[in-house]
Amino acid sequence: MEELKPRPANSSPLTPLGFLERAATVYGDCPSTVYNNTTFTWSQTHRRCLQVASSIASLGIKRGHVVSVVAPNVPAMYELHFAVPMAGAILNNINTRLDAHTVSVLLRHSESKLVFVDYQSRSLVLEALSLLPPNTQRPLLVLITDQDGDDQDSSSSAVDFCGTYESLVEKGDPEFRWDLPSSEWDPMILNYTSGTTSAPKGVVHCHRGIFIVTVNSLIAWGVRERPVYLWTLPMFHANGWCYPWGIAAVGGINICLRKFDGPTIFSLIKQHGVTHMCGAPVVLNMLTSSPKIQSLQNPVQILTAGAPPPAAVLLRTESLGFVVSHGYGLTETAGLVVSCAWKPQWNRLPASERARLKARQGVKAIGLTELDVVDSDSGASVKRDGSTLGEVVLRGGPVMLGYFKDPEGTSKCMKENAWFYTGDVGVMHPDGYLEIKDRSKDVIISGGENLSSVEVESVLYTHPAVNEAAVVARPDEFWGETPCAFVSLREEGSTRNPTEKEIMEFCRAKLPHYMVPKTVVFKDELPKTSTGKIQKFVLREIARSMGSSTVSRM
Amino acid sequence: MEELKPRPANSSPLTPLGFLERAATVYGDCPSTVYNNTTFTWSQTHRRCLQVASSIASLGIKRGHVVSVVAPNVPAMYELHFAVPMAGAILNNINTRLDAHTVSVLLRHSESKLVFVDYQSRSLVLEALSLLPPNTQRPLLVLITDQDGDDQDSSSSAVDFCGTYESLVEKGDPEFRWDLPSSEWDPMILNYTSGTTSAPKGVVHCHRGIFIVTVNSLIAWGVRERPVYLWTLPMFHANGWCYPWGIAAVGGINICLRKFDGPTIFSLIKQHGVTHMCGAPVVLNMLTSSPKIQSLQNPVQILTAGAPPPAAVLLRTESLGFVVSHGYGLTETAGLVVSCAWKPQWNRLPASERARLKARQGVKAIGLTELDVVDSDSGASVKRDGSTLGEVVLRGGPVMLGYFKDPEGTSKCMKENAWFYTGDVGVMHPDGYLEIKDRSKDVIISGGENLSSVEVESVLYTHPAVNEAAVVARPDEFWGETPCAFVSLREEGSTRNPTEKEIMEFCRAKLPHYMVPKTVVFKDELPKTSTGKIQKFVLREIARSMGSSTVSRM
């Protein structure tokens, strides 16, 4: 069989870019993106992407150049997921809620040649550019105006911008012939991590990886033809877990929106017949504490990840008619690669038990080769007992190419033993399901015991007055560290707010002594990243500044 | 970005083999295979496959050896789709309905080291081995007995067989550690083509190709979690279009069966709540002409391919409650890679128009990179007018590695221009949907006009008395060739059978003159391959032996 090698006819690169042309053929007359009063069809989206890709090429962008986008979930953002790589460039989405300094660091690090700027982020990007060192080559700028004619002053931008997004569409060639990447390992995506634990790192994914995660995500979530997908997950967050390409593969409808709250979501679900949406647990919380809660007429599939959803939040969400699926992934895996695949027999369990099982991250999805929890030092698998903590490791096509300009960082997590080390701490249950307990950096070491801040948080979430909770380490002269809880309360006029002591007593009844918070701090709101993750490093700073939780007996 | 290359953590080979362990984790207690009174769970199937794989290795089978299976759709057949490649070997399924001479040719050509033989094919395989040349190394034999204790005499086999399949299960190590292939391009499957047009050819597929076709097939058909899949498509036919691996990926139930007819299918659908099944159009015909037709209580998805389904057969099948999907693939693509993706607006069309559209093969599925219809000589795309004939070409991961021991045959169809030439003749419709018109060899050239035998057949199928029809070329001294129709009639006592002349007149009212059959031959039954394809080469021989259809005017 040795003579049988790959040949040109069977080794064309795996890439999701071809899904768009196919969608235009099959679903040409059906809606692709809906945004306020604007609706495009798949034919139009295909044509617009070809036009934008041709205009990007005309601006001098070459294969391998980085093109950045600073925009919310509007149709242009969706289209750029195809148009930028169709022009041969690498798509770099930038979180719109970053500060100008961070944006300038990312633009410099990525050597971005062209930046698509939503009009609401104009001053952010212009300020970021003003912070670049004098001799840095400035990227070209294109302004994304609002297609619905939302109030905006684009005249003052003429000096800074080489055109608007719509002018690129108009000038572009709808017959543009884009080339497949020369290799499926060619970079396609550059995403900077959200920076919950450390300085941003540039995660690079290739066409092959994005293809694998996209098909993987459709199968794992059971997405069939023509879903109606509500874009509550920012596309600038790990490319919306690859669903921009996935929704094209199944010819769905992308319901776009700039920003949202509970009532907006319920209204869009009703208006468009939404079938699917994604979001961090904070979105679930938003739904269940919305002032205009509505029970759904038809079930809506909601996929959550990014943090273990507290059981109480899961229960409240499902009681409204949402079907919650839970998964796990990292920026470094381009999307969700572990999913809490549901066993039919679990439907017979009590609600609280169902929620406990659903809060586990689960098993590898079919695009991932291997998943394990190991002792970080020895590399040996931990016991599958549901309690021995270890580092979550994985391997397979979804794992990134590496960190941009950081060979050391890349080698540190992508080891020669063929595992990618996630930096997440978890346990493997006897039934083979993974449960994340914490980020490595969020583990609290108190009196020599490793304790999971997430476990303490999940107890806090069961307190009826608690809205959100986060637990971090506070330095302690005797114990080393002790758990410090930051808590925001529900706005309910009728009941008296609990005291710090009452919160601690509540925990003491449900947790071993060493896990009970020694400090409780009430806050109106907890600091969060743009994707709704609580910024523990901010809280850790506050806890550190509070000094030792007990006075040393020495 | 140049420093970012594949590393061990992200480049583990794509293969469907890992789906089994995952199914055992998620669906361990759920049924995997059901056969008469035997039911296995996914835990048991996983364990049995590990045991068989370990036993195969113990028999001396090494990486790259060919292991053959001659069996119908029983649980052992299903398990061997995992066990053989887990042992590092290449799975070679052999059609149970071949004659001993052909089987001996295949065993010799494949250099098979081990053959799993279903007890009903014992004499076939023993006879085939007796036909091998004296100095050929004989493969080891393992007997598949019937787990339900069906009547069989296994005692006489002791001399020929090194054991039974169940003894391999029992002796095997359930802790067997199988290795991933060293490369995703390593061969995994060897399938000999059904030989409708020429001598059998050994089609080799690699792990990567089978992975891509498997996930492609789940998405294209919209298969969600836990389908109940009825095995009406033989697994020895192109590995049942990759659904053995696909059903494991979604934790479905495989309803196995040795042989079937209409009443058996209806009975199993009712008994097990079947949701999905596959089959050539002959299966659809079987369903609608079954003596015990039943309307379905719940819709059953049926996927058909292998020949364009006549519109009349489609209509009759759907009227019973089946939801028919139509696709296209070849042994060389491991399964279906083109599917007639259904447009929502087509539901509003009259039934006959819907059937006409559904009889088209469709568009590339998402695992295929490109699909086109080209002029075989110039390689240029034909006009997208729905009438210009050309050769169907495609490229992408599903295309085979090549033909075993046939570099010339491989180069002939897998050209340097990166296209795989299918040998099928089709048209591209203006809406981008492919329609196959014929095999290259089945095109009839009459008076210099290319005419599609399939088009003539589809007219014949609309005649109320016609059960099956096939049209081939008959030599003609004046026209070169003329269409010759072979027809079997429906068994309906009440109506008088039509004459040859009446059939020709029927066609003349609906076809251009040159396409009307000049000869009509009535047969009780048309010769078919094991998968229900009509053997046109047999009919072509008969037509040839009839001599010229008209006397030359010269």
Side-chain angles (χ1 to χ4, degrees):
Chain A
M1 298 267 172
E2 293 72 29
E3 83 278 11
L4 294 171
K5 300 275 180 234
R7 287 167 168 258
N10 61 22
S11 57
S12 46
L14 294 175
T15 171
L17 296 181
F19 299 171
L20 182 59
E21 184 203 357
R22 185 182 170 279
T25 301
V26 179
Y27 311 102
D29 300 333
C30 302
S32 51
T33 51
V34 175
Y35 171 59
N36 295 337
N37 298 316
T38 303
T39 298
F40 291 118
T41 64
W42 281 109
S43 283
Q44 291 171 322
T45 298
H46 180 221
R47 190 184 163 92
R48 287 169 59 86
C49 289
L50 290 171
Q51 289 170 303
V52 174
S54 104
S55 288
I56 291 172
S58 301
L59 288 170
I61 302 301
K62 305 233 174 313
R63 185 160 290 267
H65 283 174
V66 172
V67 171
S68 302
V69 185
V70 190
N73 287 349
V74 292
M77 177 62 148
Y78 183 82
E79 291 164 6
L80 288 165
H81 278 76
F82 288 94
V84 170
M86 280 160 110
I90 297 162
L91 176 68
N92 166 233
N93 290 339
I94 294 179
N95 189 329
T96 57
R97 289 169 226 167
L98 296 176
D99 62 296
H101 172 70
T102 307
V103 173
S104 82
V105 168
L106 300 188
L107 290 177
R108 193 180 173 196
H109 187 271
S110 65
E111 300 173 44
S112 186
K113 298 283 183 289
L114 172 63
V115 187
F116 287 87
V117 185
D118 181 69
Y119 76 97
Q120 290 185 330
S121 299
R122 187 168 43 191
S123 55
L124 168 71
V125 173
L126 293 180
E127 191 188 339
L129 290 177
S130 75
L131 296 172
L132 286 176
N135 292 327
T136 320
Q137 210 206 329
R138 312 268 145 151
L140 296 170
L141 300 183
V142 172
L143 186 69
I144 300 173
T145 57
D146 206 279
Q147 285 140 346
D148 274 11
D150 200 357
D151 179 35
Q152 53 193 285
D153 173 20
S154 60
S155 59
S156 74
S157 306
V159 263
D160 303 306
F161 292 85
C162 67
T164 64
Y165 183 80
E166 288 303 318
S167 74
L168 260 60
V169 174
E170 279 160 36
K171 277 185 283 188
D173 174 10
E175 303 293 323
F176 179 69
R177 302 285 295 182
W178 56 280
D179 292 322
L180 284 171
S182 53
S183 155
E184 64 192 28
W185 295 97
D186 281 358
M188 172 175 168
I189 296 296
L190 169 62
N191 285 330
Y192 287 90
T193 58
S194 58
T196 43
T197 60
S198 62
K201 287 184 160 183
V203 173
V204 180
H205 285 285
C206 62
H207 287 260
R208 171 189 166 100
I210 298 294
F211 175 91
I212 292 172
V213 176
T214 300
V215 298
N216 177 77
S217 301
L218 292 174
I219 292 174
W221 200 15
V223 181
R224 294 181 63 170
E225 256 200 340
R226 302 204 32 73
V228 181
Y229 184 85
L230 180 63
W231 270 105
T232 41
L233 178 72
M235 292 188 221
F236 60 67
H237 178 68
N239 302 106
W241 304 343
C242 285
Y243 285 106
W245 301 291
I247 300 303
V250 290
I253 304 178
N254 294 280
I255 310 295
C256 295
L257 74 186
R258 273 188 181 269
K259 56 181 183 181
F260 59 88
D261 52 19
T264 309
I265 294 176
F266 282 110
S267 150
L268 288 170
I269 287 173
K270 202 167 180 183
Q271 187 185 346
H272 297 291
V274 168
T275 59
H276 290 74
M277 55 187 283
C278 294
V282 69
V283 175
L284 278 61
N285 214 15
M286 179 187 281
L287 289 171
T288 53
S289 54
S290 163
K292 288 189 186 169
I293 285 186
Q294 295 172 14
S295 279
L296 303 174
Q297 290 188 305
N298 296 304
V300 174
Q301 305 288 330
I302 182 163
L303 178 59
T304 192
V313 174
L314 269 180
L315 285 180
R316 285 201 297 266
T317 312
E318 296 207 317
S319 70
L320 295 177
F322 291 93
V323 180
V324 181
S325 299
H326 178 215
Y328 165 76
L330 307 97
T331 305
E332 287 84 345
T333 62
L336 308 192
V337 293
V338 171
S339 73
C340 184
W342 197 244
K343 301 192 184 200
Q345 63 264 37
W346 288 345
N347 287 325
R348 297 192 296 266
L349 297 173
S352 62
E353 180 66 5
R354 289 205 311 272
R356 190 186 64 76
L357 290 167
K358 194 165 271 184
R360 308 189 306 172
Q361 277 67 22
V363 297
K364 66 179 177 190
I366 64 161
L368 195 64
T369 308
E370 294 266 18
L371 169 70
D372 203 0
V373 178
V374 301
D375 181 287
S376 298
D377 297 327
S378 72
S381 300
V382 302
K383 265 195 192 165
R384 301 201 155 202
D385 58 6
S387 65
T388 308
L389 292 177
E391 184 165 356
V392 179
V393 294
L394 36 85
R395 74 166 59 105
V399 174
M400 66 174 177
L401 275 177
Y403 296 116
F404 186 39
K405 297 180 183 172
D406 184 5
E408 202 183 322
T410 305
S411 301
K412 213 168 145 189
C413 62
M414 296 177 77
K415 303 207 179 163
E416 281 309 308
N417 64 5
W419 286 113
F420 168 70
Y421 282 71
T422 63
D424 281 330
V425 172
V427 299
M428 193 60 88
H429 285 275
D431 64 357
Y433 276 57
L434 167 74
E435 185 172 3
I436 302 288
K437 290 295 183 177
D438 230 328
R439 292 290 302 167
S440 296
K441 304 212 171 179
D442 294 341
V443 168
I444 300 165
I445 305 173
S446 190
E449 292 278 3
N450 283 359
L451 79 87
S452 154
S453 59
V454 175
E455 259 175 88
V456 185
E457 287 156 13
S458 67
V459 167
L460 288 166
Y461 269 105
T462 64
H463 190 291
V466 168
N467 179 41
E468 289 186 312
V471 175
V472 299
R474 180 177 171 184
D476 187 280
E477 292 186 22
F478 181 71
W479 298 107
E481 296 175 347
T482 60
C484 172
F486 291 83
V487 170
S488 74
L489 297 173
R490 294 182 155 268
E491 290 172 23
E492 287 169 47
S494 57
T495 53
R496 187 182 56 80
N497 283 345
T499 64
E500 294 169 29
K501 207 173 150 213
E502 281 165 357
I503 294 286
M504 290 185 211
E505 274 163 11
F506 179 83
C507 291
R508 194 161 297 135
K510 305 192 171 195
L511 284 172
H513 192 271
Y514 76 98
M515 291 180 76
V516 173
K518 304 291 172 287
T519 320
V520 175
V521 181
F522 292 108
K523 290 210 150 254
D524 287 347
E525 205 172 341
L526 302 186
K528 295 201 198 70
T529 68
S530 58
T531 58
K533 281 192 196 181
I534 293 169
Q535 291 177 301
K536 286 207 172 174
F537 69 95
V538 174
L539 300 175
R540 208 176 286 120
E541 274 310 308
I542 300 175
R544 199 169 293 146
S545 67
M546 289 159 63
S548 177
S549 44
T550 56
V551 177
S552 168
R553 297 174 195 190
M554 295 284 281
Chain B
M1 298 271 173
E2 294 71 29
E3 81 278 11
L4 295 171
K5 299 273 178 235
R7 287 167 166 259
N10 61 21
S11 55
S12 45
L14 294 175
T15 171
L17 296 181
F19 299 170
L20 182 59
E21 183 202 357
R22 185 181 170 279
T25 301
V26 179
Y27 310 102
D29 300 332
C30 302
S32 52
T33 50
V34 175
Y35 172 59
N36 293 338
N37 298 315
T38 304
T39 297
F40 292 118
T41 65
W42 280 109
S43 284
Q44 290 171 321
T45 297
H46 180 220
R47 191 184 161 90
R48 287 169 59 85
C49 288
L50 290 172
Q51 289 170 302
V52 173
S54 105
S55 288
I56 291 173
S58 301
L59 288 171
I61 301 302
K62 305 237 174 312
R63 186 160 289 267
H65 282 174
V66 171
V67 172
S68 303
V69 185
V70 189
N73 287 349
V74 292
M77 177 60 148
Y78 184 83
E79 292 163 4
L80 287 164
H81 278 77
F82 289 95
V84 170
M86 281 160 108
I90 297 162
L91 175 68
N92 166 234
N93 290 338
I94 294 179
N95 189 329
T96 57
R97 290 170 226 166
L98 295 176
D99 63 294
H101 171 71
T102 306
V103 173
S104 81
V105 168
L106 300 189
L107 291 176
R108 193 180 174 196
H109 187 271
S110 65
E111 299 173 44
S112 188
K113 297 283 185 289
L114 172 64
V115 187
F116 287 86
V117 185
D118 181 69
Y119 77 96
Q120 290 186 331
S121 300
R122 189 167 42 190
S123 55
L124 169 70
V125 173
L126 293 179
E127 189 187 340
L129 291 177
S130 75
L131 296 173
L132 286 177
N135 291 326
T136 319
Q137 209 204 330
R138 310 269 144 151
L140 296 170
L141 299 184
V142 172
L143 186 69
I144 300 173
T145 56
D146 205 283
Q147 285 140 346
D148 275 10
D150 199 356
D151 178 37
Q152 53 193 286
D153 173 20
S154 60
S155 59
S156 74
S157 307
V159 262
D160 304 306
F161 292 86
C162 67
T164 65
Y165 183 80
E166 288 303 318
S167 73
L168 261 59
V169 174
E170 278 160 35
K171 279 186 280 187
D173 174 10
E175 304 293 320
F176 179 68
R177 303 284 295 181
W178 56 278
D179 293 322
L180 284 170
S182 53
S183 155
E184 64 192 26
W185 295 98
D186 281 358
M188 171 174 168
I189 296 297
L190 170 61
N191 284 330
Y192 287 90
T193 58
S194 57
T196 42
T197 61
S198 62
K201 286 184 160 182
V203 173
V204 179
H205 285 285
C206 63
H207 287 259
R208 171 190 166 99
I210 297 294
F211 175 91
I212 292 172
V213 176
T214 300
V215 298
N216 177 77
S217 301
L218 292 174
I219 292 174
W221 201 15
V223 181
R224 295 182 62 169
E225 257 199 340
R226 303 205 31 71
V228 181
Y229 185 85
L230 180 63
W231 271 106
T232 39
L233 179 71
M235 293 188 220
F236 60 65
H237 178 67
N239 302 106
W241 304 343
C242 284
Y243 285 106
W245 302 290
I247 300 304
V250 290
I253 305 178
N254 294 281
I255 311 295
C256 295
L257 73 187
R258 273 186 182 270
K259 57 182 183 179
F260 59 88
D261 52 18
T264 308
I265 294 177
F266 281 110
S267 151
L268 289 169
I269 288 174
K270 200 168 181 181
Q271 186 185 347
H272 298 289
V274 168
T275 60
H276 290 74
M277 56 187 282
C278 293
V282 68
V283 175
L284 277 63
N285 214 15
M286 179 187 280
L287 289 171
T288 52
S289 54
S290 164
K292 288 188 186 170
I293 285 185
Q294 295 172 11
S295 278
L296 302 174
Q297 290 187 308
N298 296 303
V300 173
Q301 304 289 330
I302 181 164
L303 179 58
T304 192
V313 174
L314 269 178
L315 285 180
R316 285 200 298 265
T317 312
E318 297 208 316
S319 70
L320 294 176
F322 291 93
V323 181
V324 181
S325 299
H326 177 216
Y328 165 74
L330 307 96
T331 305
E332 286 85 345
T333 63
L336 307 193
V337 292
V338 170
S339 72
C340 184
W342 196 245
K343 301 193 185 201
Q345 65 265 36
W346 288 346
N347 287 324
R348 297 193 295 267
L349 298 173
S352 61
E353 180 65 6
R354 289 206 310 273
R356 189 186 63 78
L357 290 167
K358 193 166 271 182
R360 307 189 306 172
Q361 277 66 22
V363 297
K364 65 179 176 188
I366 64 162
L368 195 65
T369 308
E370 295 265 18
L371 169 70
D372 203 1
V373 178
V374 300
D375 181 288
S376 299
D377 296 326
S378 71
S381 300
V382 302
K383 264 197 192 163
R384 300 199 157 204
D385 58 5
S387 65
T388 309
L389 293 176
E391 184 166 358
V392 179
V393 294
L394 37 84
R395 73 166 58 108
V399 174
M400 66 172 177
L401 276 176
Y403 296 116
F404 186 39
K405 299 180 184 174
D406 185 5
E408 201 183 324
T410 304
S411 302
K412 212 169 145 188
C413 62
M414 297 177 76
K415 303 206 179 162
E416 281 310 308
N417 64 5
W419 286 113
F420 167 70
Y421 282 71
T422 63
D424 281 331
V425 173
V427 298
M428 193 60 89
H429 285 276
D431 64 357
Y433 277 57
L434 166 74
E435 185 172 2
I436 302 287
K437 290 294 184 175
D438 230 326
R439 293 288 303 167
S440 297
K441 303 209 175 180
D442 294 341
V443 168
I444 300 164
I445 305 174
S446 189
E449 292 278 3
N450 283 359
L451 78 92
S452 154
S453 59
V454 175
E455 259 174 271
V456 185
E457 287 155 14
S458 66
V459 167
L460 288 166
Y461 270 106
T462 63
H463 189 290
V466 168
N467 180 41
E468 289 184 314
V471 175
V472 299
R474 178 175 172 187
D476 187 279
E477 292 186 23
F478 180 72
W479 298 107
E481 296 174 347
T482 60
C484 171
F486 290 84
V487 170
S488 73
L489 297 174
R490 294 181 156 269
E491 291 171 22
E492 286 168 50
S494 58
T495 53
R496 188 183 56 80
N497 283 344
T499 63
E500 296 169 30
K501 205 175 152 213
E502 280 164 356
I503 293 286
M504 291 185 212
E505 274 163 13
F506 181 82
C507 292
R508 194 160 298 138
K510 303 190 174 197
L511 283 172
H513 192 272
Y514 76 99
M515 292 180 75
V516 174
K518 305 290 172 288
T519 321
V520 174
V521 181
F522 293 107
K523 289 209 149 254
D524 287 346
E525 204 172 345
L526 301 186
K528 295 202 197 71
T529 69
S530 57
T531 58
K533 280 192 196 179
I534 294 168
Q535 291 177 301
K536 287 207 172 171
F537 68 94
V538 174
L539 300 176
R540 209 175 287 121
E541 274 310 308
I542 300 174
R544 199 168 294 147
S545 69
M546 290 159 63
S548 176
S549 44
T550 56
V551 178
S552 169
R553 298 175 193 192
M554 297 280 284

